[in-house]
Amino acid sequence: MPAVNPSPSSPNDAGKPATRRTSWAEAAAAADATKPSRAPSPAPAPPVPPTRQPASDPAGAAIASVPSGAPGDAAPEAAVPPSDAPSETPSFRRSRPTVADAIEGSPMPDFISSPGLFVKEQKPRPVGGIRGALYKLSGGAWNLGPGPKQRQEDELARRISRQLQGSYNTAILSLKGGIGKTSTTVGVGLTLAEYRGDAPCAIDANPDSGDLVERALGEGIYQQASPRTITDLLENIESIDSLTALARYMHHAGRLHLIAGEQDPEVSDSLTAEEYLRIRKLISSYYSVALTDCGTGVTHNAMSGILQSADNLVIAAGYAVSGAKRARSTLHWLASHGYEDLARNAIVVITDKDEVSSRVDKDAIEEHLAGICRELIAVPHDRGVADGDLVTLDVLKPETRRAYKEIAAAIVDGYR
C-alpha cells in the first residue's frame, strides 16, 4: 500500500528529511510569558501522541511519522493557553530565608574602624579620691570612672601628647631678668618630655651666660660632665649628619635634651641670627618640638633669627606693676616690628617667684595682660622654682605642675 503523507510539501521541501514538530511546547512558552509573576506555574498540557502509519517506499525505507498536530492536519490538536482563572487546586510553596540568605542580605560590619561593635567599652580607671578608693577596695568591681578633676588632667595630657606633622619652635623671652623665664623653660620642657612620645629639645640662646642646663641638671652634675656648648656645636655643625653625632653636643635631663649656652663672657654675645638659624635647621631634622630660652631683651644679635623661626611665643612676667608693663611693652614692640601674629598668639606666663605681698592686686595685673594675648597662665609661688637651683617636677607643688601642664598644652595647641 502506498504511504500517505498528511502534510503537503512544497516543491522546495523535496529531498529534505521530515522534521518532528512540538506545537505544545510553543503553547507552554506563550503561557509562561503571560502568567503573573507570583501565580503558580500551571502543569503543561501533555503532548498529543502522534499517529503513526507505517509505510514503505519502493526502496523499502520507512516514511517518518508526523504528529497529528502538524500543520496541514484536518483537525490539529494544539494545547490551549491556560486562562487567568486560578486552578481549582493551586499548590503554594512557602519560601523561608536560609542562614546564608540572611548573611548575604545584611551589611558587613567593619572590624577595623568599629571595634566597639564587638568589644564592650571599659571605663577609665579612677585615680585618687573616693572613686579610686572604691575601685581598689572592690578589686575593680565598682568602677565609677574618673572624676571631673581627673578628666581635666587627662584632657591636658591628650593636648600635650598630640601628634605633630613637622618641627615647631617656641621662644621664651622677657624684658627683665629674674622673673621665671628659665625656670618656665625647664618646667615646661620636662612636662613635654613626660607626656609626649617624642623627646623635646631646649636651646639656651641667652647671650648673658645662660644657666638653662644648670637648672635642668643641677650645677654640680653639669660641672662634672664635659660641658659642650652651643659654640662647640657651631664649630662642628657641618660634620653632624645623625642624631648620634648630635647627641655628643647635648645634655640630657631625663627625656629632655638640652643645648648649653656659652659660658665665656667674651663670646657669649657673639651668636648671630644666621648662626641660630643654622642650629634651628639642624634641630628640626630630629625634634618635633624645640624650646628656645632667649634671654633678656628682644634686640640682641640672635633675636631676629629666633623670632623669624618661632611658631609661637611665651612672654615671662611677674606680679609687679613694672613686670606687667614690660610684658605689655614687649607685645606692642612685636606687633609694630612685623611680628603681629606672634604677639596675638603669645602666651603670657606670670610667675609668683618672690611671693608678693597682699598689697599687690594680682587680679588687676592679670586683667591688664589678658586682653592682649591668646592665653594667660599664672604659676604660683613655689620654693622649687624660687630658689634658682635645680628644677625637678617631683619636688614641685601640684598647683605648679598643673600650671606647667597648662602652658605645655597651650604651646602645642598653637602648633598648626
Side-chain angles (χ1 to χ4, degrees):
M1 179 183 292
V4 179
N5 188 356
S7 59
S9 59
S10 62
N12 295 333
D13 293 335
K16 293 184 179 181
T19 305
R20 183 182 300 274
R21 302 179 184 273
T22 55
S23 59
W24 63 270
E26 297 174 356
D32 289 340
T34 57
K35 69 178 181 179
S37 60
R38 293 185 176 272
S41 302
V48 179
T51 303
R52 304 179 63 89
Q53 296 181 1
S56 59
D57 59 6
I63 306 298
S65 62
V66 180
S68 60
D73 285 346
E77 296 180 3
V80 180
S83 62
D84 294 336
S87 60
E88 296 181 359
T89 57
S91 60
F92 294 96
R93 181 180 179 183
R94 184 179 299 275
S95 176
R96 296 183 179 181
T98 63
V99 176
D101 296 334
I103 294 176
E104 183 179 0
S106 62
M108 179 62 68
D110 191 346
F111 292 87
I112 298 176
S113 62
S114 304
L117 296 175
F118 311 98
V119 180
K120 184 178 180 181
E121 184 178 359
Q122 185 178 4
K123 291 183 180 179
R125 177 182 176 181
V127 178
I130 298 178
R131 295 169 182 256
L134 287 175
Y135 184 88
K136 290 182 179 179
L137 291 175
S138 64
W142 294 349
N143 186 358
L144 302 180
K149 184 177 180 180
Q150 183 179 343
R151 290 197 296 270
Q152 293 175 2
E153 295 291 326
D154 293 342
E155 175 62 18
L156 284 176
R158 185 196 63 79
R159 291 165 58 192
I160 296 172
S161 61
R162 178 171 65 91
Q163 185 176 4
L164 300 174
Q165 303 295 329
S167 180
Y168 299 87
N169 179 34
T170 297
I172 297 94
L173 56 91
S174 68
L175 289 182
K176 181 180 181 298
I179 56 176
K181 174 184 56 60
T182 300
S183 61
T184 299
T185 305
V186 176
V188 172
L190 293 173
T191 303
L192 289 168
E194 180 180 358
Y195 289 97
R196 288 195 59 80
D198 49 350
C201 175
I203 306 170
D204 191 348
N206 192 336
D208 300 321
S209 300
D211 60 348
L212 176 67
V213 177
E214 289 95 321
R215 300 295 301 275
L217 297 179
E219 188 171 356
I221 296 178
Y222 176 68
Q223 294 299 331
Q224 293 175 7
S226 57
R228 297 287 185 99
T229 66
I230 195 170
T231 304
D232 299 321
L233 178 60
L234 281 170
E235 290 177 353
N236 301 277
I237 195 169
E238 297 296 338
S239 63
I240 299 175
D241 56 358
S242 66
L243 183 59
T244 303
L246 177 61
R248 301 191 187 112
Y249 302 90
M250 306 192 76
H251 303 270
H252 302 82
R255 296 183 65 251
L256 175 61
H257 300 178
L258 304 108
I259 298 177
E262 182 56 58
Q263 301 299 307
D264 188 350
E266 295 183 0
V267 297
S268 61
D269 196 23
S270 63
L271 181 67
T272 65
E274 292 75 13
E275 290 173 337
Y276 175 82
L277 289 175
R278 292 177 66 190
I279 293 175
R280 174 70 191 111
K281 182 179 179 181
L282 176 65
I283 295 300
S284 65
S285 301
Y286 305 103
Y287 296 90
S288 61
V289 177
L291 306 177
T292 301
D293 186 354
C294 300
T296 303
V298 292
T299 58
H300 57 81
N301 294 337
M303 202 63 206
S304 62
I306 294 173
L307 294 176
Q308 179 181 339
S309 63
D311 295 285
N312 54 19
L313 300 177
V314 172
I315 309 296
Y319 277 119
V321 176
S322 60
K325 288 182 177 180
R326 287 190 178 95
R328 190 178 184 91
S329 299
T330 302
L331 294 172
H332 282 303
W333 184 92
L334 292 169
S336 61
H337 285 77
Y339 304 105
E340 185 176 355
D341 289 340
L342 288 177
R344 184 186 304 110
N345 296 313
I347 305 164
V348 174
V349 175
I350 303 180
T351 302
D352 190 4
K353 189 174 181 180
D354 298 325
E355 198 171 13
V356 296
S357 66
S358 58
R359 294 186 300 108
V360 177
D361 191 346
K362 296 181 179 180
D363 294 337
I365 293 176
E366 293 178 1
E367 184 178 354
H368 179 73
L369 294 172
I372 58 175
C373 61
R374 174 165 62 92
E375 195 164 349
L376 186 141
I377 301 171
V379 179
H381 178 75
D382 195 322
R383 290 191 60 183
V385 174
D387 289 344
D389 194 8
L390 177 66
V391 176
T392 58
L393 299 180
D394 295 339
V395 300
L396 298 180
K397 295 179 180 179
E399 295 81 4
T400 307
R401 295 193 62 177
R402 171 63 183 266
Y404 286 149
K405 288 178 66 175
E406 292 177 353
I407 298 170
I411 287 174
V412 178
D413 287 346
Y415 296 155
R416 302 297 180 186

